[in-house]
Amino acid sequence: MKKIHLILVALFLVSSSISAQQILTDDKDAKKAKVDSIEVRGKLIDSFTYECVDSVWMELYSLPDTVLVDTFWNARETMMKFGGWEYPMEGFLTKVPVHGKYLIRTTKRGFKPLEHVFDIPHRRYNRKVREWDLDEVKIHKANSYGMDRDLDEITVTATKVKMVMAGDTVVYNADAFQLSEGSMLDELVRQLPGVEIRKGGEIYINGEKVQELLVNGNDFFNGDAKQALENLPAYVVQNIKAYQRESKHAYLDKHHEAMKKKDPWVLDVRLKREYAQGWLGNAEAGGGWDKRWMGRLFAIRYTDHSRITIYANANNINNFARPGSETSWGDYSSPTSEVKTVNAGIDFHVDDKVTKTEFNTSLNGSRSVTDSQTETSSQTFLQGGDVWNRSRSISNAKSGNLSWNGGVDFRKKEMFSHIGANVNYSKGNSSGKSRSATFSQDPLDSSRGASLDSVFAHKPASLADQYAPLYSQRLNEFLTNRTEDLTKADNNNLSAGMQTMLYTVAPWNGEEISLNISENYSYSQSKDYSHYDLRQGDTQDYRNRYTESPGKSNTFSANFSHTLFSFKDILGMSMNYGYSNVYSNNHRDLYRLDSLSNTPWAKAEGGYALGMLPSTRDSLNMVIDRENTYFSETSNQMHNLDFNISGGGEWGYYYVNAGMNFHNDRSEDTRGVDDAGSPKYQDLHRKYALWNVQGNMQLKDFSIGVSYNQNAPSMSQMLDIRDNSNPLYISLGNPDLKNMYSMNYNASYHHNSQEHQSNWYLNASFNHGTGVGSATIYNRETGVYTTQPRNISGNWGTNAGGGFYIPLDKQKRLNFSNNLNASYNRSVDFSSDNPAETFDAIPLSKVHNYGVYEHCNLEYRYETYSASANFDADYSYATSDRPGFSTISTINFTYGISSRLGFKHGYNLDMDLAMHSRRGYDDKTMNDDNLVFNLAISKAFFKNRCLVLKVTGHDILQQLDNVYRSINAQGRTETWYNTQPSYVMATASYRLDMKPKKKKE
C-alpha cells in the first residue's frame, strides 16, 4: 500500500514538473515574437491623509524624448492579473518596453497636477529587471474655491445589486439586504449568498471556513468574529468583501501570487464613509419572563488612521439567534447549559501612514456562571452482545478570564517586521453530582432516564437490602453496576507568549527572506475532590479522593525561509527550515482519604463533607495512591526542512511541497511501584524522521490536491503504565506503537457569476491511512473496561457535496439556494467481551457509517418585505457485519417559513415557524416533533430612528430541546441537555452617531 502511495505522489510531482517545463518552453517561444516589457506598480497617496487617492488619470512618457507610452488610472481597486485570475490592489499597474527614465503626469479634480520622474535600471540583484515597484508618490490637494457648482436635478432609478465580483473578491452590497431596525452584523452576514454561520459562530463561505473577520481591512479584537457579529450595527456597513487574505508581508514576495489560493478566507466589513470618522455607539437592555435579562454597550471611534472600540455585554439567555433570520435555531445558537455571563473589552488600533507603523492592542475580561444538567443514553458495540449505559449529571461552574494581546508592525519598502505579545489568566471552580448505571440488555426506558431513576429510587439500609422491592425486578436482572460521584474542583491557568517576525529582501537575488521566533509559557494548577461510590452486586467500592495536578510547559520555535529562485510567475522554488523545542512537566498526586480507616473520611454516609482535608501534609502523604500518582517530564525537539515549488500561467497554477521532520523526543516518567516496592521509573527516548508531501493544482475555477503525511504516537501512549484511578476504566500503555500515515485526495469547483448574481460550488474528498485505535476488553461480570492503544488500519472515508445560489427572476427578488453533502466512513476498532483474551487476539470491529445532509432555502424580497421557506435534513445510517449489531437509521429534519415585514412609521414584524422532527433514535422519547414559533415586534422612534423598542418571543410554544448524537466503531451516544431557551423579552436599544463638524470655507 505504501508503494502505491509513493508512486501516486511521484506521478503528481513528475506531471507538475512536466507542466512547468512545457510552460517554460512555450513561454520562451512566445516571447521571441514579442517586445520585452517591464511591469511597473505604484500608488498615489494623499499628502495629508496618506490614503490611496481614487480615480487619478495618469500619463506615462519616456525620457528624454517625452513620447507617450501608456495612459491608466490610479484607483483604490486596480485589477492585478495573474494567470487566469484577477485580484484587486491599490494603486496603478502599467508596463514599459525597456529600462530607462520615465515621466508620470497626473490629473485629478481637486488636486494639483504632478510630474514624477523615475529611472529603471537594466539589472538588479544580478538579474535582468522585469518588475519595478515605485515608492508611494504624494499628490497635494488644490484650493477648492470655485471648483464646486450646482447641477440640474436628475432622477436615478436602479436595482440594488446584492453581489459583484472584483477579480477573486466577492463584494456584497449591504443596502441590498432587508434588515429590521436595530439589527446587528450577524443578521446581515446570515443573508449573504453562499455564507452561513454554524454552531459556535464559525462562518463559512461556499463551504470554506472564514478564518478572520476584519473591519475596514484591519484586525478586530485579534480576529474574534463573535465581537463584531454581536456588537457592530448593520446600518453602518457599506459592503462586505469575501476574499483570501494575503499576508501583510506579501508585497516583498514578487511571486507570491502563485500561493494566493492557499491564503485564508476572510470577511472584510467596510463601513460607510460617513462613519469613517467620529463616534459610533449603541446600547441595549431588556428583561423578560423566567428571570431572563440582557444588556450590552458598544462604542467605536474611527479616524483616518486610528480606531478605539469599547464593549460590554451581560445576559443569561446565552442565545443570539433572532426571529426571521433562519429556522435552524439549533445549528448555531442553542445552548447546552444555563449560562450567566458578563464580558467587556477594549481594542485600540493605530495605522501611522507617515512612519508606516501599525499598532494594535486589546484587553478582554469575562466572568460566567454555568448551571448544566445532562442525561446520556449510550450503547457500546461488543462481539458477544451490546452494553447499555444510562447517566445523569448536574454541575455548577464559575469561571473568570482576563486576556491581553498586543502587536506592532513596521512596514518599509524592502522590510517588514512584527513584534507581538499576549497574556492570558483564568480561574474557576465547579461542583457537581453524577449517577450512572450499566446494563447487559436494553433497559427500554419508558421515559427519559426512567431506568436510572428506578435504580437509584431506593436508598438501602444495608448492602443486602439494596435490591428491595422498590426496584424494578426486570432491571435488577441485567444491572451490572451503578455509580454515584460527588465532585468539586478549583483551577487556575496562566499563559504568556511573545512573537518576533522579520521579512526582508535578500541582496543576492532580490527574493524574500524571513526569520520568525516565538516563545510561549504556560502554568496550570488544579485541585479536585471526589466522593465516589460504586456498587457491583453486594460489593461496595467507596473512594474519598483528593487530587493535585500542577503542570507547566515552555515552547520555543524559530523558522527561517527563503525564496531560492523564481522565473517570472512560471516557476519558483523556496525552502524553509524550522526548529522547535517543547518542554513540559506534569504532576498528579492522588490521595485516597478513605484509606484513613475508622475516621469520618472513610465513611460513605455521615462522613466529612466534600473538600475536607487532614490538617497536616504528613497525614496526606500516608494515604497517597502511589500506583496512580505520577511525575512526567517530556522534551520534544524537532528540525524541519521542506521545499516548495510553485508557478502558474494563463491556465492556472500549481504548488508542490515536500518536507522532512527530524524528531528527538524524551520522556521521563515516575509512577507506580516495581516488584521491590520502589517507585517505578521509565526513561523513553526516541529519534525518528517523518516526511510529508502535498500538491495542489488550480485550473481556473477547478482545483485538485493530494497530500501524504506521517505522524508518530504520543510519548504518553508508549509508556508501560497501568492507570486504574477509575475502577471501571483501566488504561494501559503500549511501548510497541509504530508511526502512522494519512493520505488525502480532494477536488473542488467554485464559480461566481456577477451577471446572474449566482454562485456554485462542488467538492469531493477521499482519505485513508493508519492510526492508533483504542483496543477494549469488557468484563461483563464487573462492568470494567480495560483499554490499550493499538496500531490500526482500515479506516477510510469519502465526502462529496455541492451547492448553489441562483435568482429565479430578472429583478433578483426570488432566490433559491441549496446545499447537499453526502459522506461515507468506514470506522474500524478493536473490542472484546472476553476478559481472558489478549489484546493481540481481539478481532476487528467494523462499522459502515453513511450520512446525507440537505439544506434548501427559497426566499422572496421586495422593498421592506421578505419571506423564506426552509428545509433541512440530516440522515445517518450505520451497519456492520459484526454478530449482534443492530442497524442504526436516524434522521433529523426541519421545515418551516420565516418572514419580515416593514411598515410605515418604523414598525417591523419578524416571524418564523418551524417543525423540528426526529426519527429512529434508540430512546423512544426522542422520536418526536417539536413546533418552534418565534416572533419579534419592533418600533423605531425619532427622525433618525435611533431608539428601537422591541418585544421578542423565542420558542414561544416551549417545544425546543437539545439532543446531540454521535456514532463510531465503539458505539453510539445520545445526550440530552436540560436547557430550553424559551423566553419573551422586551428590549430597548439606542444608537448614537457623533460625526465631526464640517469646517466652514
Side-chain angles (χ1 to χ4, degrees), residues 189 194-214 223-226 229 241-245 260-268 332 748 750 761 763 819:
V189 171
V195 178
E196 59 178 323
I197 302 178
R198 298 182 183 177
K199 185 179 178 181
E202 293 182 339
I203 305 173
Y204 285 78
I205 174 168
N206 293 332
E208 300 282 351
K209 184 177 179 180
V210 174
Q211 299 296 331
E212 287 185 285
L213 193 146
L214 312 176
D224 187 354
K226 186 177 180 181
L229 289 174
K241 299 181 180 181
Y243 57 89
Q244 289 176 270
R245 185 193 192 191
K260 183 174 177 60
K261 291 298 178 181
K262 295 182 66 64
D263 291 334
W265 279 92
V266 299
L267 282 186
D268 188 356
Y332 166 48
S748 65
H750 294 85
Y761 76 93
N763 54 57
N819 294 278

Side-chain angles (χ1 to χ4, degrees), residues 161-372:
V161 178
K162 289 184 178 181
M163 175 178 73
V164 297
M165 293 296 300
D168 287 343
T169 299
V170 184
V171 183
Y172 299 100
N173 177 19
D175 290 336
F177 298 92
Q178 179 61 36
L179 299 171
S180 60
E181 295 291 342
S183 295
M184 293 295 133
L185 179 62
D186 59 342
E187 289 196 62
L188 174 59
V189 171
R190 281 194 188 94
Q191 294 190 28
L192 303 181
V195 178
E196 59 178 323
I197 302 178
R198 298 182 183 177
K199 185 179 178 181
E202 293 182 339
I203 305 173
Y204 285 78
I205 174 168
N206 293 332
E208 300 282 351
K209 184 177 179 180
V210 174
Q211 299 296 331
E212 287 185 285
L213 193 146
L214 312 176
V215 176
N216 280 1
N218 297 315
D219 294 334
F220 188 79
F221 276 101
N222 200 37
D224 187 354
K226 186 177 180 181
Q227 301 302 337
L229 289 174
E230 296 174 4
N231 293 293
L232 195 64
Y235 73 90
V236 303
V237 179
Q238 177 179 342
N239 58 54
I240 298 179
K241 299 181 180 181
Y243 57 89
Q244 289 176 270
R245 185 193 192 191
E246 62 184 17
S247 61
K248 293 182 178 180
H249 58 84
Y251 67 95
L252 296 174
D253 187 353
K254 302 300 186 297
H255 301 274
H256 71 279
E257 292 89 352
M259 302 294 294
K260 183 174 177 60
K261 291 298 178 181
K262 295 182 66 64
D263 291 334
W265 279 92
V266 299
L267 282 186
D268 188 356
V269 180
R270 297 284 176 160
L271 304 185
K272 295 177 180 176
R273 290 196 176 186
E274 57 265 35
Y275 300 109
Q277 189 166 350
W279 278 97
L280 175 68
N282 65 82
E284 185 175 10
W289 76 20
D290 198 21
K291 298 181 180 179
R292 301 283 183 174
W293 50 267
M294 66 84 65
R296 64 182 172 193
L297 174 68
F298 179 81
I300 184 170
R301 185 181 188 275
Y302 260 104
T303 68
D304 293 332
H305 60 277
S306 66
R307 181 193 73 225
I308 184 169
T309 309
I310 303 170
Y311 80 93
N313 196 335
N315 69 81
N316 70 345
I317 57 177
N318 195 33
N319 189 293
F320 299 97
R322 293 175 176 82
S325 60
E326 59 180 24
T327 57
S328 302
W329 291 77
D331 289 344
Y332 166 48
S333 309
S334 293
T336 57
S337 55
E338 294 281 352
V339 181
K340 301 183 181 84
T341 180
V342 177
N343 59 80
I346 182 170
D347 180 83
F348 181 63
H349 178 89
V350 174
D351 188 0
D352 192 324
K353 306 295 184 181
V354 178
T355 63
K356 300 187 184 302
T357 302
E358 188 175 344
F359 173 75
N360 191 86
T361 184
S362 63
L363 180 67
N364 300 268
S366 65
R367 176 70 176 171
S368 64
V369 178
T370 304
D371 293 304
S372 63

Side-chain angles (χ1 to χ4, degrees), residues 1 89 144 194 198 211-212 563 582 612 674 745 759 839 893 959 988:
M1 181 64 74
M89 60 165 278
S144 60
R198 298 182 183 177
Q211 299 296 331
E212 287 185 285
T563 302
V582 181
M612 181 71 71
D674 56 21
Y745 310 86
N759 61 62
F839 283 103
F893 55 94
Q959 293 289 302

Side-chain angles (χ1 to χ4, degrees), residues 674-731:
D674 56 21
D675 296 336
S678 302
K680 186 178 180 180
Y681 171 78
Q682 297 184 72
D683 186 357
L684 181 62
H685 192 192
R686 293 188 301 170
K687 290 185 177 181
Y688 56 96
L690 303 174
W691 66 285
N692 59 81
V693 177
Q694 59 178 322
N696 189 271
M697 186 174 292
Q698 182 89 24
L699 305 171
K700 301 296 183 178
D701 294 333
F702 180 73
S703 69
I704 56 174
V706 59
S707 65
Y708 174 85
N709 294 280
Q710 290 183 324
N711 297 285
S714 66
M715 299 287 281
S716 61
Q717 291 177 314
M718 299 185 67
L719 292 172
D720 183 13
I721 62 173
R722 176 185 173 87
D723 189 330
N724 63 355
S725 56
N726 186 332
L728 292 180
Y729 294 90
I730 300 173
S731 60

